[in-house]
Amino acid sequence: MEELRIGNYVFNAEDEPYFFKVEEIKYNYGRLGVVYRDGSCWSSEPEFISLTEDILLKIKGVSKTSKTWYELKYSDITFRIEDGNWDEPSLDILKGGTYITCIEYLHELQNLIFELIREELDIDL
């Protein structure tokens, strides 16, 4: 859970399943967990959100350019995202035709974009 940061989206399967935005990361009784919903809820085991085609298309600025290619235009940078196998989501991220990395989860994409351009992704979950 060390790669999570405030602002990342994760999934909570406990009780009523839903996506949530991490508001705080802290220890509670020796367990690392995340706080969400204005501090009123706690989850010690949030699930990472796999980057499925459906999730990818909920990100503002993403457009499908072919059967396996997507573009994310954010700020003044265009990222090309490619995957030919949505059964096991993992996406190759390219910037300016140069391979950057392969990612599997939404929070990884959020962190990559934030690290590169210091802006948060606009996601409609």
Side-chain angles (χ1 to χ4, degrees), residues 68-104:
T68 59
W69 282 96
Y70 297 79
E71 284 187 353
L72 171 58
K73 294 181 188 236
Y74 222 80
S75 190
D76 59 347
I77 300 173
T78 298
F79 296 89
R80 292 192 71 196
I81 303 168
E82 186 271 335
D83 187 64
N85 181 6
W86 289 107
D87 293 332
E88 295 182 24
S90 66
L91 305 175
D92 292 329
I93 306 295
L94 297 96
K95 176 182 170 270
T98 303
Y99 175 81
I100 297 177
T101 190
C102 180
I103 59 176
E104 296 179 51

Side-chain angles (χ1 to χ4, degrees), residues 2-15:
E2 297 80 32
E3 69 250 16
L4 282 180
R5 64 180 181 77
I6 294 170
N8 283 156
Y9 281 95
V10 290
F11 182 74
N12 182 10
E14 300 169 7
D15 302 324

